[in-house]
Amino acid sequence: MKIISSIEELRDQLSGQLRTAFVPTMGNLHEGHLSLMRLARKHGDPVVASIFVNRLQFGPNEDFEKYPRTFQADVEKLEKEGVYVLFAPTEKDMYPEPQEYRVRPPDDLGNTLEGEFRPGFFTGVTTVVLKLLSCVQPRVAVFGKKDYQQLMIVRNMCRQFALPTNIIAAETWRADDGLALSSRNMYLSAAERAEAPALYQSLNFVAEEMRAGHLDTFQLEHKAMDELAKRGWKPDYISIRKRNDLQPPTAGDLAQGTPLVVLAAAKLGTTRLIDNLEI
């Protein structure tokens, strides 16, 4: 596996490659990330991964400085997966000058759910993803469904900018008890880790109630949040949305069986977890 930090060297290395498959990450790789590499290989060759902890998507009181960085262990995992190139730029490589041009998602998608609780987050995400896609110029790029809103925003951005990259969605990888794998899970204490699957259980409760014909979305959302709060969580949201645009469903949408997804974010101790489940 070739480890490259400069954009110029990356472009030279990939010159002439027409079927590149790309998986962008922030490192601290787990089995969920590795499943993305395997899916990428099914859709293209060579497989390029990136590791870059993007300062632009962290708020002033978030965990940029303490975000887990495990570069050597990540390299070993990627080598075992047969990744061809690891693009691992420094901040100076990625942002040799202040990144004054930014990509801002539309307010109705970028300022709801995660965007409401993490102002500016998606502007940071879309800006770095557009720049990474420009550097790698892949035919396909793989993003996980765990970050459901991010996946939709990136996919819409690629379509509206007519980028020649097809965004592939990968299913969420879960531990045996249902907890969605995340780099931030390592922040959980042993007791919190034992409690953490309750978030996924809340999503399943909402989904099962909806499938049983209980369509009062407001009541279901608040009941699920209240139950989490009783267990010591601090929920930001549990929200039922339409899959196609992440807007709240109307009565007509519910009557017509419009495909839905329930999304959640909540703090357990000091760790903020997100998850979702398609209904």
Side-chain angles (χ1 to χ4, degrees):
M1 183 175 72
K2 300 180 185 299
I3 302 175
I4 295 173
S5 61
S6 83
I7 295 172
E8 183 179 5
E9 185 182 349
L10 176 72
R11 286 176 170 161
D12 286 344
Q13 184 65 49
L14 296 176
S15 178
Q17 299 283 3
L18 301 178
R19 298 186 63 252
T20 301
F22 178 46
V23 185
T25 82
M26 292 205 302
N28 191 227
L29 304 182
H30 49 66
E31 191 61 31
H33 292 112
L34 302 182
S35 72
L36 304 185
M37 308 298 164
R38 296 170 201 141
L39 182 58
R41 191 180 304 113
K42 293 180 180 179
H43 288 273
D45 180 62
V47 174
V48 176
S50 68
I51 293 177
F52 181 66
V53 183
N54 176 41
R55 187 186 296 269
L56 296 186
Q57 68 194 65
F58 286 80
N61 298 313
E62 294 184 338
D63 57 347
F64 175 78
E65 296 298 339
K66 68 172 186 175
Y67 192 85
R69 293 163 171 85
T70 55
F71 187 75
Q72 194 51 50
D74 294 344
V75 166
E76 293 171 5
K77 291 173 182 176
L78 293 175
E79 285 179 332
K80 289 179 181 177
E81 293 299 330
V83 170
Y84 174 61
V85 168
L86 169 59
F87 180 44
T90 65
E91 281 197 279
K92 191 67 175 175
D93 291 315
M94 200 65 184
Y95 304 123
E97 59 185 277
Q99 188 67 37
E100 295 169 339
Y101 286 82
R102 306 287 178 98
V103 181
R104 178 181 167 183
D107 289 345
D108 62 349
L109 187 55
N111 289 344
T112 188
L113 300 170
E114 284 298 281
E116 178 182 347
F117 289 91
R118 302 182 67 187
F121 169 68
F122 286 119
T123 295
V125 168
T126 48
T127 299
V128 76
V129 169
L130 181 61
K131 194 159 190 176
L132 286 167
L133 293 177
S134 173
C135 295
V136 179
Q137 299 183 30
R139 187 177 70 88
V140 300
V142 180
F143 287 79
K145 280 189 178 181
K146 187 181 80 72
D147 298 292
Y148 204 92
Q149 189 175 7
Q150 172 180 279
L151 169 65
M152 175 168 288
I153 286 174
V154 167
R155 181 172 273 161
N156 289 356
M157 177 187 74
C158 288
R159 186 185 68 251
Q160 290 201 6
F161 280 112
L163 300 182
T165 301
N166 183 29
I167 302 300
I168 305 294
E171 296 298 328
T172 301
W173 195 276
R174 299 185 181 278
D176 290 343
D177 57 9
L179 177 64
L181 296 196
S182 167
S183 296
R184 288 187 168 94
N185 290 352
M186 67 179 294
Y187 297 152
L188 298 169
S189 68
E192 289 167 347
R193 175 60 188 83
E195 168 62 22
L199 186 63
Y200 185 51
Q201 292 163 11
S202 295
L203 297 178
N204 275 288
F205 162 75
V206 172
E208 288 166 4
E209 290 292 297
M210 293 286 292
R211 292 179 188 127
H214 303 150
L215 302 182
D216 186 334
T217 57
F218 181 84
Q219 182 185 62
L220 285 176
E221 291 166 352
H222 282 77
K223 183 174 182 180
M225 290 178 69
D226 288 345
E227 289 300 316
L228 275 182
K230 289 176 185 176
R231 300 176 68 110
W233 293 69
K234 295 178 181 177
D236 282 342
Y237 60 83
I238 294 180
S239 188
I240 300 162
R241 300 293 178 105
K242 295 185 290 183
R243 289 188 210 174
N244 67 331
D245 60 7
L246 291 189
Q247 297 306 301
T250 65
D253 293 324
L254 296 174
Q256 294 167 15
T258 297
L260 304 173
V261 58
V262 54
L263 308 101
K267 270 191 174 181
L268 183 57
T270 60
T271 305
R272 187 173 183 274
L273 301 178
I274 66 170
D275 204 350
N276 65 81
L277 184 63
E278 292 180 330
I279 303 174

